[in-house]
Amino acid sequence: MTTPSAPDSNVRAWLPGFLAVAVIWGASFLFIKIGVRELHPLYVTLGRAGAGALTLLVALAVLRDRLPRDPVLWLHLTVVATVGVALPFTLFGYGEQRVSSILAGIWNATTPLVVLPMAVLVFRTERMTARRGIGLVLGFVGVLVVLGAWQGLGGAQFTGQLFCFAAAVCYGLSIPYQKRFIAGRPESGLALSAGQLLVATVLLAIIAPLVAGAPPAPTGLSPEVIGSVLALGALGTGLAFVINLRTIRLAGASTASTTTYLIPIFAVLIGVLALDEHLAWYQPVGAVIVLLGVAVSQRLIFRGRRRAAPTNRLRDAVEPEIAVAEPDPAVSR
């Protein structure tokens, strides 16, 4: 068994892939917005999970890897496939029926703030500190600003934002669950993620017809919708995962996880340029406060002196859009 190499200090080796992942995951909210124009959110999620599973199965075959075989592990993958894939993907779809893709991208950035209290209070994989508490308070203030709470809450847009926040809560549950029950497994991150997406695809194939009725005929869908759903799966849930794994190997998990900060930026740019969407002044301001809270809670700014952590301690790393298991950051995406 080979020893993992140290993170590559050559920025040019990992930066292109790092930026590509941020762009792909930022564009995912655009693809969702287009997909739900003609498809029920459950069918957008089914197409996304299915295309992503197929992409990762091809990657497994190319790399001569294989799916997990432990039945207990498959039970854990079923939990994550439900809470970390099927539910949040669908909730973002419901949300984007009511709000812009830009707002959905901003709400995705709250995921790390949800992960922390879940990890501390529910799964007990982390400890609460004063710094993390300050980060959570900042993030909560940012959420209130994004909502425009002083204007009163209600209406379809508020409901849509609640759907998006609920998706972030799902990620907040699934990420520490993965850290506790899956992250230490010997199977590759690629195999674990492919397993999750396969389970999610099967679950959605059963549930979607019961909730949303029979699926529409592909011939009745526009090329834009079909292309968006395929892009969500093949790019956002497939190719981006493989690229992100390479970034983890070259730059380290901590660096790879900082895509959290770029995704809402690209989501805003893409939403404005491709869909002519607009934001109220307080929404990007709130997003900046949220990201500041995340940065403080993850010790990316205002670093103090601390003792070295044990070498076997898992680092916090949150992926912003898709909670698919991998060695450290959770991938949306």
Side-chain angles (χ1 to χ4, degrees):
M1 184 174 179
T2 58
T3 302
S5 58
D8 192 339
S9 60
N10 184 359
V11 174
R12 290 178 297 179
W14 58 263
L15 185 58
F18 175 86
L19 293 175
V21 168
V23 172
I24 292 171
W25 283 339
S28 294
F29 300 98
L30 164 69
F31 296 140
I32 294 171
K33 188 71 173 179
I34 295 174
V36 295
R37 289 175 180 173
E38 300 175 17
L39 286 171
H40 189 281
L42 277 167
Y43 280 117
V44 173
T45 304
L46 174 58
R48 177 182 188 177
L54 181 60
T55 302
L56 294 188
L57 287 175
V58 171
L60 282 175
V62 171
L63 296 175
R64 298 183 179 180
D65 201 349
R66 64 184 183 186
L67 290 169
R69 297 189 176 185
D70 183 357
V72 175
L73 175 57
W74 277 101
L75 290 177
H76 289 308
L77 292 178
T78 300
V79 173
V80 178
T82 303
V83 181
V85 179
L87 275 175
F89 285 8
T90 304
L91 286 168
F92 270 122
Y94 277 115
E96 291 201 48
Q97 288 181 325
R98 298 162 175 82
V99 301
S100 67
S101 67
I102 294 175
L103 265 180
I106 289 174
W107 280 110
N108 185 77
T110 66
T111 296
L113 298 174
V114 181
V115 169
L116 181 54
M118 293 296 178
V120 172
L121 300 175
V122 179
F123 297 99
R124 301 185 182 277
T125 57
E126 302 295 336
R127 291 186 306 160
M128 181 60 72
T129 64
R131 170 180 52 79
R132 287 173 168 173
I134 292 171
L136 284 176
V137 171
L138 278 173
F140 179 71
V141 171
V143 166
L144 293 179
V145 174
V146 171
L147 286 171
W150 60 88
Q151 297 180 342
L153 302 176
Q157 187 179 80
F158 176 65
T159 303
Q161 293 193 68
L162 288 183
F163 278 126
C164 293
F165 183 64
V169 171
C170 288
Y171 290 148
L173 285 167
S174 68
I175 291 170
Y177 185 94
Q178 291 179 80
K179 185 171 181 178
R180 180 165 182 176
F181 297 108
I182 297 177
R185 299 283 310 193
E187 293 84 358
S188 70
L190 186 62
L192 293 171
S193 296
Q196 287 179 39
L197 290 175
L198 278 174
V199 173
T201 301
V202 172
L203 290 175
L204 289 161
I206 296 171
I207 294 172
L210 297 177
V211 175
T219 53
L221 300 175
S222 67
E224 291 83 4
V225 168
I226 294 174
S228 293
V229 173
L230 292 177
L232 274 171
L235 296 178
T237 317
L239 180 61
F241 170 78
V242 177
I243 297 173
N244 197 53
L245 280 180
R246 179 177 181 274
T247 302
I248 292 170
R249 289 196 297 267
L250 294 176
S254 181
T255 297
S257 72
T258 57
T259 52
T260 300
Y261 302 94
L262 295 181
I263 289 171
I265 296 173
F266 285 113
V268 169
L269 290 174
I270 293 169
V272 169
L273 296 175
L275 296 175
D276 195 29
E277 294 179 335
H278 302 282
L279 287 173
W281 67 267
Y282 52 84
Q283 290 165 341
V285 171
V288 171
I289 298 173
V290 167
L291 292 177
L292 178 62
V294 173
V296 171
S297 68
Q298 292 187 342
R299 207 182 182 89
L300 295 178
I301 59 176
F302 306 135
R303 293 174 181 267
R305 303 180 76 180
R306 64 173 181 173
R307 292 177 295 179
T311 55
N312 64 346
R313 181 181 176 86
L314 288 173
R315 294 292 304 275
D316 283 338
V318 178
E319 176 240 295
E321 204 241 323
I322 301 174
V324 184
E326 61 174 298
D328 236 320
V331 177
S332 100
R333 13 273 288 193

